[in-house]
C-alpha cells in the first residue's frame, strides 16, 4: 500500500506528532520515510545571504534532532529546502514518488500557526497524493 512516506516538519508540536505518526506507520508497513523542512523564501525570493545559510543549517540540525527524538531508526532521509512551503513540499513528494504526505494540523506559535495553517490548506487543495493531517491528541 505505502512504500514511500513524506512528513513535513516546521518545528511545532503538531509537526512532531505528525513525525511520530509517520514513524509508526512506516515501521508498520515497511515504508521508507522522508522528512522535509522548508525554509520559506517567499517573502523575498532573491535574498540568499549568510544569515539564510545559517537558517538552513539550523533547520537541518533541528530536523535531525526531531527525527532522533521520534525514532532510533536510521533509515530516514532528512531534507531541508528553500521556497514556498506547499509548493516545495509537493515538488519533493513528486521527486521521491511519495505515496502519502503527512503534516501537522497547525504550526508553531501564533505567526507560524497562520503560515502552516495556510500551508496545510494549500496542500489539501493542490496535492494529487493522499494527505494525512495529524492533530494533537487530548493527552498532548
Amino acid at each position: 500500500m505505502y512504500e514511500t512516506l513524506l512528513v513535513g516538519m516546521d518545528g511545532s508540536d503538531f509537526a512532531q506528532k505528525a513525525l511520530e505518526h509517520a514513524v509508526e506507520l512506516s515501521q508498520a508497513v515497511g515504508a521508507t520515510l522522508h522528512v522535509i523542512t522548508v525554509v520559506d523564501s517567499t517573502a523575498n525570493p532573491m535574498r540568499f545571504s549568510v544569515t539564510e545559510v545559517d537558517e538552513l543549517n539550523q533547520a537541518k540540525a533541528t530536523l535531525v534532532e526531531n527525527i532522533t527524538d521520534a525514532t532510533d531508526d536510521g533509515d530516514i532521509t532528512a531534507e531541508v529546502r528553500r521556497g514556498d512551503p506547499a509548493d516545495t513540499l509537493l515538488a519533493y513528494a513528486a521527486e521521491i514518488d511519495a505515496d502519502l504526505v503527512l503534516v501537522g494540523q497547525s504550526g508553531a506559535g501564533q505567526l507560524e500557526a497562520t503560515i502552516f495553517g495556510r500551508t496545510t490548506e494549500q496542500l489539501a487543495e493542490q496535492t494529487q497524493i493522499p494527505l494525512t493531517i495529524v492533530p494533537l491528541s487530548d493527552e498532548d
Side-chain angles (χ1 to χ4, degrees), residues 15-68:
Q16 186 65 31
K17 189 67 173 181
L19 176 60
E20 292 166 6
H21 184 77
V23 166
E24 289 177 18
L25 181 59
S26 69
Q27 291 172 343
V29 300
T32 302
L33 180 59
H34 294 259
V35 182
I36 187 169
T37 291
V38 179
V39 176
D40 190 349
S41 65
T42 57
N44 186 353
M46 298 305 290
R47 182 181 68 99
F48 193 75
S49 65
V50 172
T51 304
E52 191 161 277
V53 170
D54 290 342
E55 186 178 353
L56 287 168
N57 288 334
Q58 181 58 46
K60 179 78 169 195
T62 300
L63 181 58
V64 169
E65 183 180 313
N66 287 336
I67 292 169
T68 303

Side-chain angles (χ1 to χ4, degrees), residues 1-123:
M1 176 188 260
Y2 298 122
E3 293 179 17
T4 306
L5 307 178
L6 174 61
V7 62
M9 294 293 298
D10 69 352
S12 69
D13 290 342
F14 286 98
Q16 186 65 31
K17 189 67 173 181
L19 176 60
E20 292 166 6
H21 184 77
V23 166
E24 289 177 18
L25 181 59
S26 69
Q27 291 172 343
V29 300
T32 302
L33 180 59
H34 294 259
V35 182
I36 187 169
T37 291
V38 179
V39 176
D40 190 349
S41 65
T42 57
N44 186 353
M46 298 305 290
R47 182 181 68 99
F48 193 75
S49 65
V50 172
T51 304
E52 191 161 277
V53 170
D54 290 342
E55 186 178 353
L56 287 168
N57 288 334
Q58 181 58 46
K60 179 78 169 195
T62 300
L63 181 58
V64 169
E65 183 180 313
N66 287 336
I67 292 169
T68 303
D69 289 347
T71 182
D72 294 328
D73 186 356
D75 193 25
I76 298 176
T77 302
E79 185 74 25
V80 177
R81 300 257 173 120
R82 168 181 188 270
D84 174 77
D87 292 343
T88 303
L89 194 145
L90 290 174
Y92 186 64
E95 185 180 315
I96 63 169
D97 199 23
D99 300 304
L100 178 67
V101 174
L102 299 96
V103 293
Q105 188 174 25
S106 189
Q110 193 76 11
L111 177 60
E112 292 84 2
T114 302
I115 291 170
F116 201 71
R118 178 184 60 85
T119 300
T120 301
E121 183 178 336
Q122 287 177 326
L123 289 171

